[in-house]
Each structure stands twice: as C-alpha cells, then as structure tokens.
Amino acid sequence: MTEPLFDKVAIVGLGLIGSSLARGIKKHGLATTVTGFDGSADVRARSRDLGFCDSIAETVDEAVTGAQLVILAVPVGAMAAAAQSVAPHLADGAIVTDVGSVKAAVVRQVADALPDHAAFVPGHPVAGTEHSGPEAVFADLFDGRWCVVTPCARSTDASVKKVVALWTALGSTVETMTPEHHDIVLAITSHIPHLIAYNIVGTAADLEDVTQSEVIKFSAGAFRDFTRIAASDPVMWRDVFLNNKEAVLEVLGRFSEDLAALQRMIRWDDGQSLQGHFARTRAIRRSIIDAGQDTADADFGRPHGHDD
Amino acid sequence: MTEPLFDKVAIVGLGLIGSSLARGIKKHGLATTVTGFDGSADVRARSRDLGFCDSIAETVDEAVTGAQLVILAVPVGAMAAAAQSVAPHLADGAIVTDVGSVKAAVVRQVADALPDHAAFVPGHPVAGTEHSGPEAVFADLFDGRWCVVTPCARSTDASVKKVVALWTALGSTVETMTPEHHDIVLAITSHIPHLIAYNIVGTAADLEDVTQSEVIKFSAGAFRDFTRIAASDPVMWRDVFLNNKEAVLEVLGRFSEDLAALQRMIRWDDGQSLQGHFARTRAIRRSIIDAGQDTADADFGRPHGHDD
C-alpha cells in the first residue's frame, strides 16, 4: 500500500478496462474512494453485485462531482458524448483521462468538450482479452504491460505526471508519444490484426464446400487463434476502425500489397522466396519473447490467475 | 497398455510429429519395437540422446526392413523422395502412412513410388505447435485432437482400419474424407491463417515510421498471436503452399475479396455493416469452445504438461 494518489476517482464506463481499473486502484490503495458509473442500468446493477467500486453512482453528475481524476473507459465512438456528459460537473483542477485504443480522434473529440479548469491526458493501456463486460474484471490486467500516454495541448506537466504515476503503480510501463504516432503503431500491432482475424472467420463461414462443423473441428491448425481475436467486442472495434481510418487504410494497403507478392510466389512456384520470407519472421518472434511480452510456452504468457 | 497393434513400426523423419508419434506409440504400447530414422546425422544423434525410440537406425534400409507400419513424417516436399527410399525395403503387406499437411499432392507422389505388395493410407494429425525438431517431442500431442485419414486407390480396408486404430489409441478422433476435400478444409483452417500471419509480420517489419522495438512492445494487442504462428517451420510451410496451390489460391482469393469489402466499409464510414460483420464472428468462436477444440481461458486450451 502506498499513499493514495487521488482522493476521489470516478470511472465512467464499467466494461473490462473500467472495472479492472477500479479493482486495480483499490488493490493498490491509489485512491481514497473509487466511484463507478455506466450508462447501462443493467451494467450498474451487475457492477454493484460484483462490488469492485466503493460505490456505483446512479448519475454521471454524482460520479464525477468532487473527483480529482475522471477516467473515460467507454468505446472510442462514445468518447465525445462521455466528455460532454462529465464536463459540467468537473471540479477545479480535475484531470480527465481515457483508455481508448485510438488517440488522435479522441483528442479532437474530448479536448473541445472540456472546460478550461480541467486538464486532459489521453492514455491507452495495451492490455485486454477477448472477454468484455464487468464480469471479466481482474485487478492485475495491467501488470507487466505497456501503457501509452499521448500528451496533447490540454495536458499540463503536473497532470501527465499524475496519470503516469497511476499506470506505473498498476504495474504498467508507460511510454509517451504523440497521438498520431500512437495511431500508426497500434494500427499495425493491434487494429489490422483484428481486422484480418474478423475477415478470415467470415471467409471461412461463407465457403460452400466446407461445413462450419469442419471449420470448428480442424481449427487447431491456427484458425482458432484468429477466432479468439475475432470474438472481441464488435462495438469497440467498429469505433476503432472508424476513428483510426487513415492509419488503418495505410497499413492495410501495405498488407494487401505484401500478400499479393506472397500469392504470386505460390502461383509461380517460387519456393526460395517463400522460404526466405518465412525464415525472416522467426527472428521477430524471438525478439518478442526476449522482450518479455510473451513466453515460449504455448500459453502466450497471459496471466492465468483472475481474482474474480 | 493394450495389445500391440504392430510388431515393428518405422518412423522416417524425427521432427516434432515423428518424435511425438514415437513417444506416444511407446507410451501406449502400440508396437513391440519403434525404430526411427532421419536423413540428418545430427537429428539422429540428438534423437538417440533423447531416447524416445527403441533404436535409431543409421540407414533407411535398416529402419524399414521387417516393419509392418512405416510412417513418413517428413515435410510434404520431401515425401516423394522418402517414399522412393523406403520402397525397396518394404515387407510383404507393409502399410505405409504419412502425416503431411497436404494430401492430394502426397497421394500423387507417394502412391506411384510404392511396390504393389504395400498399402498406402494417407493421414494428417491436426496438431502441432510452432516449435519444431525432436526436442519439442511430447507423447500427448495427439490426445484430444483430430486426425484426418484420406483413403486412396492404394489403401485397403484392412490397412485403413489399422491406421485408424493407431490414431484412436493415441487419443485422436479420426475423420475420413477424400484427399481433395481435406486440402480445401485445411486451406481455410490452417494454411491461409499461416500465410496471413507470415505476411503481417513482414509488413510490420517494413514500416518506416514504426520501429521494431515499438512493434515488439505493443504486440500484446493481437500481433504476438500472429508472430507465434509465423514462427512455424519455414521449410514445412513452403512445401505446404507449393503442394496445395490450387486450394490455397482459391481461398486466398476469397479472403482478399472479403478484406476489400471491409476496407470499403471503413473508407465510407459504414459502421453498421462493420459491426454486423464483427458480431457474426463471435458465434463461430463460441462453437469452437463448445466443440472442445479450445477453452474460454486465455491459454487457448493447449496442453501444458510436455513430458520431455
């Protein structure tokens, strides 16, 4: 237990990330009080039962009033509305942060909505599973993971320091970069992989000659890894693609070009080029294991001990 | 322990599949003797040290002579040469089987090479990890997995029964289909996913604006799952694509068409269609979990207890 960083923290949006944040903040004693709010009455009721916040507010007013830190943990497409709803209730000197997977669009949408007496520090914890909703909560979701903080014109030095301190206390390593750079890095490491996974699962379902039962039976040969990714929250991902359009289309164009080159090697029996391409990717895998972002074991280095 | 199915079994090729087969056959007492052979002197020496066979032969002649079952566990591209090398030494009534990830091309290559007094039963255990070589060996690799057997003109009823009995005793569930159907099913569930994984890892490495260190740091957002797949054996996969060209190009064409449709939805802000596509793939994931081919846990339901 450390000295609390904040007196009151308000979390708006109680999905996987919001609820795991609440639990992590309580576990590490980073706030005196954590108040949660969600636009859905059903999620509020379930969150009350799960008990991961000190209290679940019935209105956003009640949640935000008096909070020194307000965390927006809603899908990227709901970020503007969330910022507008918290704005009138923000205390003097309050810090607003978010956890959206896209940063430039969020900065545009949120910064304008906030009053001058509040600071905004955009953030993105690079963590998550394919599970969504408050039942998926676990306090250690951010432990040993990276968090990107992308200061903008509405961030002050002091507010950035406080948000970095929060993520560090939750066990994350914080990297600072511009919102635009964040968006291209995440396009290749996360957004395009998700789009491709969603796509191949759809292609499989549409094959006339192969039954769904066959796809399922023989999924051990890599397909199941794609289905796991393609089980992620549809609304969250719709919003990511619509709000990171430029970077996604750029990286997708390169991906398709590269895939056409591989396709051509197969059509023209160019085994040497194929093998050369495949051998090159092994080195990258090794670097990821060495960097501690995964293990060589077949469990992908994911945390196993959920505490719910 | 059951009654041995075979007196002597010869395994040609001591990579992950061949060595795991040897260990599984010994563990379940399915043969009186298991003799291994590999074209590489280094692999033979390492296999002798690991001791998963009763003996490691110095020549293919020595390995195959007197065997009732000969298992070809070499990359698909080496299958024709392996069949030619075992052919002169096959006992009367010997059964030859293989474990290649492609079946129609293997049937063409192997069937012609074998003498009339031997039967050929093509097989494909749908199991494996990204690790290769005899050190990756584990006896339970096939337990709870599917194995496809694709009888051909050179298979007899009795030989098919024996090979099915072998896989069943190793814990696999056997499905029988034509070699051609196998190749299209595996193109979508395994071959195209591998090609895509190899491709995106290459695309990432070539981005000028994103450093390799950034790709590695932020790989938790799905990319690392692709790198695991893209760490698979380059020679094995080169051979798969060259030998299953027709089905791979057909499925790849559909994949690219579907991806272009998603790309267009993003470009034209068609959030409703995107969300509809993403929601549909969740149901397929659920079916895979229900079918016992994966678990809802984050470890992908992979076996954890390697016994090496």
Side-chain angles (χ1 to χ4, degrees):
Chain A
M1 288 308 219
T2 46
E3 190 70 12
L5 286 166
F6 303 96
D7 188 16
K8 176 181 174 181
V9 170
I11 299 177
V12 176
L14 300 173
L16 169 70
I17 301 290
S19 54
S20 295
L21 262 172
R23 193 161 283 213
I25 291 170
K26 293 302 299 172
K27 178 180 172 182
H28 294 283
L30 306 175
T32 315
T33 309
V34 178
T35 304
F37 174 75
D38 195 284
S40 152
D42 177 47
V43 171
R44 290 200 297 275
R46 281 149 60 203
S47 298
R48 238 174 238 124
D49 289 347
L50 290 162
F52 53 76
C53 282
D54 294 306
S55 66
I56 302 295
E58 269 305 299
T59 64
V60 71
D61 174 352
E62 184 192 335
V64 169
T65 299
Q68 296 170 286
L69 179 71
V70 176
I71 304 174
L72 306 179
V74 300
V76 169
M79 213 59 94
Q84 283 155 17
S85 76
V86 304
H89 315 295
L90 288 170
D92 245 13
I95 301 169
V96 177
T97 189
D98 79 300
V99 297
S101 310
V102 171
K103 295 272 64 83
V106 165
V107 168
R108 281 193 299 273
Q109 291 159 16
V110 173
D112 284 352
L114 300 183
D116 288 343
H117 63 263
F120 178 47
V121 182
H124 175 207
V126 184
T129 79
E130 69 278 20
H131 302 297
S132 36
E135 284 79 6
V137 62
F138 53 111
D140 296 325
L141 182 63
F142 312 106
D143 190 34
R145 298 298 171 198
W146 289 86
C147 180
V148 184
V149 169
T150 66
C152 65
R154 293 298 307 274
S155 315
T156 60
D157 286 354
S159 62
V160 171
K161 263 189 199 150
K162 282 280 229 178
V163 170
V164 169
L166 175 76
W167 288 111
T168 306
L170 291 170
S172 294
T173 307
V174 176
E175 180 119 338
T176 301
M177 59 181 75
T178 66
E180 292 72 23
H181 189 65
H182 166 277
D183 287 354
I184 188 99
V185 171
L186 271 291
I188 183 67
T189 57
S190 173
H191 305 172
I192 295 297
H194 274 81
L195 192 71
I196 287 163
Y198 278 124
N199 188 59
I200 196 168
V201 174
T203 303
D206 290 340
L207 283 175
E208 302 86 359
D209 295 342
V210 180
T211 65
Q212 185 164 327
S213 143
E214 287 175 324
V215 168
I216 291 161
K217 279 179 192 166
F218 304 114
S219 62
F223 187 76
R224 67 173 173 190
D225 299 357
F226 286 71
T227 65
R228 186 191 65 79
I229 299 171
S232 303
D233 184 56
V235 171
M236 173 191 155
W237 284 97
R238 175 200 68 191
D239 288 355
V240 165
F241 293 115
L242 296 181
N243 286 282
N244 195 22
K245 193 199 280 197
E246 202 179 319
V248 163
L249 291 178
E250 162 66 19
V251 176
L252 189 51
R254 288 167 178 254
F255 171 85
S256 295
E257 261 174 53
D258 294 345
L259 189 60
L262 286 180
Q263 183 170 343
R264 196 167 187 281
M265 290 173 201
I266 294 170
R267 194 178 299 281
W268 294 97
D269 293 317
D270 185 357
Q272 201 178 350
S273 300
L274 273 179
Q275 188 184 336
H277 187 285
F278 297 164
R280 182 178 165 224
T281 54
R282 278 203 153 174
I284 299 176
R285 169 71 182 166
R286 171 54 49 196
S287 311
I288 287 182
I289 293 170
D290 290 347
Q293 287 297 296
D294 203 348
T295 73
D297 296 338
D299 70 352
F300 282 50
R302 292 213 174 82
H304 284 215
H306 299 200
D307 58 356
D308 53 331
Chain B
M1 286 307 218
T2 44
E3 190 70 11
L5 286 166
F6 302 97
D7 188 15
K8 177 179 173 182
V9 169
I11 299 177
V12 176
L14 300 173
L16 168 69
I17 301 289
S19 54
S20 295
L21 262 172
R23 193 160 282 214
I25 290 170
K26 293 301 298 173
K27 178 180 170 181
H28 294 282
L30 305 176
T32 315
T33 310
V34 178
T35 304
F37 174 76
D38 194 283
S40 151
D42 177 48
V43 170
R44 290 199 298 274
R46 281 150 59 204
S47 298
R48 238 173 239 125
D49 289 347
L50 290 163
F52 51 77
C53 282
D54 293 307
S55 67
I56 303 294
E58 269 306 299
T59 63
V60 71
D61 174 353
E62 184 192 335
V64 169
T65 299
Q68 295 170 287
L69 179 71
V70 176
I71 304 174
L72 307 179
V74 299
V76 168
M79 213 59 93
Q84 283 154 18
S85 77
V86 304
H89 316 296
L90 289 170
D92 245 12
I95 301 170
V96 177
T97 188
D98 79 301
V99 297
S101 310
V102 171
K103 296 270 66 83
V106 165
V107 167
R108 281 194 299 273
Q109 292 159 17
V110 172
D112 283 351
L114 299 183
D116 288 342
H117 64 263
F120 178 46
V121 183
H124 175 207
V126 184
T129 80
E130 69 278 18
H131 303 296
S132 36
E135 285 79 6
V137 63
F138 53 110
D140 295 326
L141 182 61
F142 311 106
D143 190 33
R145 298 298 172 197
W146 289 86
C147 180
V148 184
V149 169
T150 66
C152 65
R154 293 298 305 275
S155 315
T156 60
D157 286 352
S159 62
V160 171
K161 262 189 198 151
K162 282 279 227 176
V163 170
V164 169
L166 175 76
W167 288 110
T168 305
L170 290 169
S172 295
T173 307
V174 175
E175 180 119 338
T176 301
M177 58 181 77
T178 66
E180 292 71 24
H181 188 65
H182 165 278
D183 287 355
I184 188 98
V185 171
L186 271 291
I188 183 67
T189 56
S190 173
H191 306 171
I192 295 297
H194 274 81
L195 191 72
I196 288 163
Y198 278 124
N199 189 59
I200 196 168
V201 175
T203 302
D206 290 341
L207 283 175
E208 303 85 359
D209 295 341
V210 180
T211 65
Q212 185 163 329
S213 143
E214 287 174 325
V215 168
I216 290 160
K217 278 179 193 165
F218 304 114
S219 61
F223 188 77
R224 67 174 173 188
D225 298 357
F226 287 71
T227 66
R228 185 190 66 79
I229 299 171
S232 303
D233 184 57
V235 171
M236 172 190 155
W237 283 97
R238 175 200 68 191
D239 288 356
V240 165
F241 293 115
L242 296 181
N243 286 283
N244 195 21
K245 193 199 282 198
E246 202 181 319
V248 162
L249 291 178
E250 162 65 18
V251 176
L252 189 52
R254 288 168 177 253
F255 171 86
S256 295
E257 261 173 53
D258 293 346
L259 189 61
L262 285 180
Q263 183 170 343
R264 197 166 185 280
M265 290 173 202
I266 294 170
R267 194 179 298 281
W268 294 96
D269 293 316
D270 185 357
Q272 202 179 349
S273 299
L274 274 178
Q275 189 184 336
H277 188 284
F278 298 164
R280 181 177 166 225
T281 53
R282 277 202 153 174
I284 299 176
R285 169 70 182 167
R286 172 53 49 196
S287 311
I288 288 182
I289 293 170
D290 290 347
Q293 287 297 296
D294 202 349
T295 73
D297 296 338
D299 70 351
F300 282 51
R302 293 211 174 83
H304 284 216
H306 300 198
D307 58 357
D308 53 333

